Amino acid sequence: MKLVELYIQEVMRRLPEKNRDDIALELKSTIEDMLPDDYTEDDVREVLMSLGDPAVLASNYRDKPMHLIGPRYYDLYITLLKLIVPIAAAITFLVVTVSSVLNYSGDSNPVEIFLSIAGNGVVEAISAGMQVFFWLTVTFAVIERTVTPESQQPLTMKGKEWSPDDLKDVPYIPKEKRISKLEIFGGLVWTVIWSTCYFKASDILGLYEKSDGGRVFTPFFDQEVLLGYWPLIVILIGLELILLLRKWRAGVWTKRLAVENAVYQFVPVAVFLFIFRNMDVMDPTFIERIQVLFNNSFNFQWFYLTGAVGLLVAAVINSYDGLKKAYK
């Protein structure tokens, strides 16, 4: 029944989420009724061939017809759209964000800056996605109207018509093991946020107080001392980007990927412990000010341990989540 499960998966991924469960049960029942009692793999192949290309069958279940892009190119068009648009949007967002951060002078409120950067990044990402959508749609619309195919059967990513043999190249991905594109994009955004906070710490992270002369800003960290650890941070960023790339390429939690993820989760904890064991990274002015506010009762060692425990708990949770999905 492996070919049957793969066939159903290929049909379902082309349908709206809300309709998949009912249609999957109906399709599975239909296939089982078409198979003899003591069926062989050849019987399965024959039944699947009679049902036809999963893209065509999926289009028969859809409520909306495909007009602009016909059945032959529609599935290939949608596949490329889902592949290219997120990449273009993510790259645009990262470029705009990094450019804005590098141009930040520290004159404005960090909250306002973060909102401005996020807003500009989202707007530019949407603009890039719309341009990709437009030009890809135009390209396929032109192909649809200028190329005369020998057959109306849909094309696959390989540029060939579908056959049951194509299912052998399709990995079966249980829903609970899938890695969503949103999770990967969220990881990229988080990488930009924390790396920005590191390289612009003296301009962004600090104690904001009101005074008669306006706003008084006291940075948490001594930027010069903090930047002395930049090789560790660059390595950390590189490892995080590699892990996100591995997740994107795999698209599913495997045992190896889950172990790699679990190992990586404890790297930031080790880096944090190594950097912040040196109290010189804290700005002397901030230390004096915070002691005044807390009547010399603020315990920096407690603050250090709280941060370490928080990171450790987050690492354990993220590691367990990946391993749980991989070993299901």
Side-chain angles (χ1 to χ4, degrees):
M1 292 292 286
K2 185 67 176 295
L3 285 178
V4 174
E5 292 174 350
L6 291 172
Y7 184 86
I8 294 174
Q9 175 183 283
E10 287 298 284
V11 175
M12 292 309 108
R13 73 180 181 86
R14 295 173 169 88
L15 297 174
E17 187 79 33
K18 62 179 181 180
N19 299 332
R20 290 179 182 176
D21 292 341
D22 292 339
I23 295 177
L25 290 174
E26 178 185 335
L27 181 56
K28 185 176 181 180
S29 177
T30 299
I31 294 173
E32 289 175 349
D33 291 341
M34 295 173 69
L35 289 170
D37 292 335
D38 298 322
Y39 61 86
T40 64
E41 185 172 339
D42 289 337
D43 294 325
V44 174
R45 286 171 51 82
E46 185 177 346
V47 168
L48 296 183
M49 183 62 79
S50 67
L51 290 173
D53 190 303
V56 175
L57 186 59
S59 70
N60 294 332
Y61 281 111
R62 296 177 67 91
D63 297 330
K64 299 179 181 179
M66 302 174 291
H67 293 300
L68 184 61
I69 311 296
R72 182 169 176 80
Y73 301 107
Y74 184 80
D75 193 56
L76 180 59
Y77 162 73
I78 292 296
T79 301
L80 288 174
L81 206 60
K82 290 180 179 180
L83 179 66
I84 299 174
V85 169
I87 295 175
I91 291 175
T92 302
F93 181 84
L94 290 176
V95 170
V96 171
T97 302
V98 171
S99 176
S100 300
V101 169
L102 293 177
N103 293 327
Y104 176 57
S105 61
D107 296 332
S108 304
N109 188 305
V111 175
E112 296 176 357
I113 292 298
F114 270 122
L115 292 176
S116 176
I117 291 174
N120 290 336
V122 169
V123 169
E124 292 298 327
I126 292 174
S127 176
M130 290 178 65
Q131 289 192 47
V132 170
F133 169 77
F134 173 78
W135 288 112
L136 195 62
T137 302
V138 168
T139 300
F140 273 87
V142 170
I143 293 173
E144 177 74 31
R145 285 152 181 78
T146 57
V147 177
T148 305
E150 296 178 0
S151 168
Q152 287 299 322
Q153 288 298 311
L155 295 178
T156 65
M157 283 291 286
K158 296 180 180 180
K160 301 185 301 182
E161 295 181 2
W162 181 87
S163 74
D165 291 332
D166 292 335
L167 294 174
K168 295 179 180 179
D169 299 326
V170 178
Y172 178 66
I173 305 176
K175 185 177 180 180
E176 61 273 11
K177 289 190 175 185
R178 294 173 189 168
I179 301 176
S180 68
K181 298 295 187 295
L182 182 62
E183 178 182 344
I184 296 171
F185 182 74
L188 282 174
V189 173
W190 170 241
T191 301
V192 171
I193 290 175
W194 74 256
S195 58
T196 298
C197 290
Y198 173 81
F199 288 105
K200 289 286 186 177
S202 61
D203 296 326
I204 297 175
L205 303 177
L207 183 64
Y208 292 83
E209 299 177 276
K210 292 183 178 179
S211 66
D212 295 337
R215 187 191 66 177
V216 177
F217 173 72
T218 306
F220 288 162
F221 304 108
D222 185 319
Q223 189 71 61
E224 186 176 347
V225 176
L226 194 62
L227 287 178
Y229 297 97
W230 70 264
L232 286 176
I233 300 302
V234 170
I235 291 173
L236 195 60
I237 293 173
L239 290 174
E240 190 158 321
L241 292 177
I242 290 172
L243 181 63
L244 288 172
L245 179 62
R246 292 269 291 115
K247 287 182 178 180
W248 177 72
R249 293 184 62 182
V252 60
W253 282 104
T254 62
K255 293 178 181 179
R256 180 175 178 178
L257 182 59
V259 171
E260 291 176 3
N261 176 71
V263 172
Y264 167 78
Q265 294 301 326
F266 293 94
V267 175
V269 180
V271 171
F272 174 86
L273 293 174
F274 180 75
I275 293 177
F276 287 94
R277 82 193 196 292
N278 179 11
M279 283 296 296
D280 289 339
V281 298
M282 307 295 293
D283 190 282
T285 306
F286 170 72
I287 294 177
E288 293 175 5
R289 183 59 186 157
I290 205 71
Q291 291 295 7
V292 169
L293 293 175
F294 284 86
N295 297 319
N296 295 319
S297 62
F298 189 84
N299 190 328
F300 281 96
Q301 186 176 9
W302 174 86
F303 179 76
Y304 172 77
L305 290 174
T306 301
V309 170
L311 286 174
L312 187 61
V313 170
V316 170
I317 292 174
N318 290 332
S319 299
Y320 173 75
D321 184 58
L323 291 168
K324 180 181 69 174
K325 291 178 179 177
Y327 282 87
K328 273 188 176 180

